[in-house]
Amino acid sequence: GPRPILKITNTRGKRITFERLTFRGGFNDNTNEGGAVTISKADALFRQSAFVDNRVTGITGGGAIKVLEGSQATFVDCSLRNNSARNRGGAIAVRAGAVVTMLRGEMVGNRTNLPGHDPRSIGGAIWALDGTLRITGTRFEGNEAGLVGGAIYAIGSWDQGAALLISGATLLPNQAPPGPCSPTGETTGRGALPD
């Protein structure tokens, strides 16, 4: 509860593998760090692991995991449940040319719309800026954002861009319901992905 759990930095070319672990109750209020795990200039593989009840309260996102600076993170048969961020990426935030691959597993009940959230909070489960998401056979259920992208919000800048590949995934009720913090008069993208 009082601090993040793990930070992986400067290990490019040397993949670090984590198997059958639970990352629970991580907390962070620092910019550019995840609630449980931060991956920067590194390559990590998580297999049959769980990320549960982690949170970020700072202005950035990644309630459970933040993947930065050209890093690669692969999740195989992992469960990400009940993680939260105040602004973006309730479970995972992806930036700066990072590549995130999810094979099977689940993302359930992750949120960016808890009390006190930013009125324009996005990406209930995943938020990506100028990164690559490859998602296969993953189940998204009950994830929520404050403005758009109940499950996933991916966007790219003009010079870099974002890439999103989703295949064989299940997108069950994910939402971005208007709430008391939502901006008035704005059109919002509801459901799993923004329009």
Side-chain angles (χ1 to χ4, degrees):
R3 67 180 70 86
I5 299 169
L6 176 67
K7 189 169 186 177
I8 307 166
T9 59
N10 299 314
T11 64
R12 280 190 205 157
K14 297 178 184 177
R15 173 176 272 186
I16 300 172
T17 301
F18 300 88
E19 293 185 302
R20 295 179 302 278
L21 297 173
T22 298
F23 297 84
R24 182 185 306 271
F27 169 78
N28 206 330
D29 62 358
N30 294 331
T31 301
N32 278 336
E33 292 186 6
V37 176
T38 301
I39 303 168
S40 178
K41 298 177 184 170
D43 183 356
L45 167 64
F46 297 88
R47 188 178 291 130
Q48 296 175 346
S49 294
F51 298 83
V52 183
D53 297 327
N54 301 289
R55 65 189 176 104
V56 162
T57 59
I59 61 169
T60 60
I65 304 151
K66 185 98 175 206
V67 186
L68 296 165
E69 303 173 31
S71 297
Q72 292 189 26
T74 303
F75 302 88
V76 179
D77 298 320
C78 290
S79 175
L80 289 94
R81 291 181 160 269
N82 304 321
N83 301 289
S84 65
R86 183 182 167 275
N87 196 21
R88 52 191 178 233
I92 300 175
V94 182
R95 290 196 49 145
V99 177
V100 170
T101 303
M102 299 191 72
L103 180 59
R104 299 179 302 272
E106 63 179 7
M107 300 197 80
V108 178
N110 301 291
R111 297 177 62 181
T112 60
N113 67 346
L114 293 174
H117 71 85
D118 185 290
R120 289 179 173 79
S121 64
I122 53 182
I126 301 174
W127 170 82
L129 171 67
D130 294 334
T132 299
L133 294 175
R134 297 181 187 132
I135 300 168
T136 304
T138 303
R139 180 173 167 249
F140 289 81
E141 182 176 3
N143 301 291
E144 296 183 15
L147 184 65
V148 293
I152 301 168
Y153 185 90
I155 191 168
S157 62
W158 286 107
D159 61 336
Q160 221 172 347
L164 177 61
L165 170 65
I166 301 174
S167 64
T170 303
L171 297 159
L172 297 170
N174 296 278
Q175 58 184 332
C181 294
S182 298
T184 57
E186 280 193 36
T187 302
T188 61
R190 304 293 180 213
L193 301 164
D195 298 335

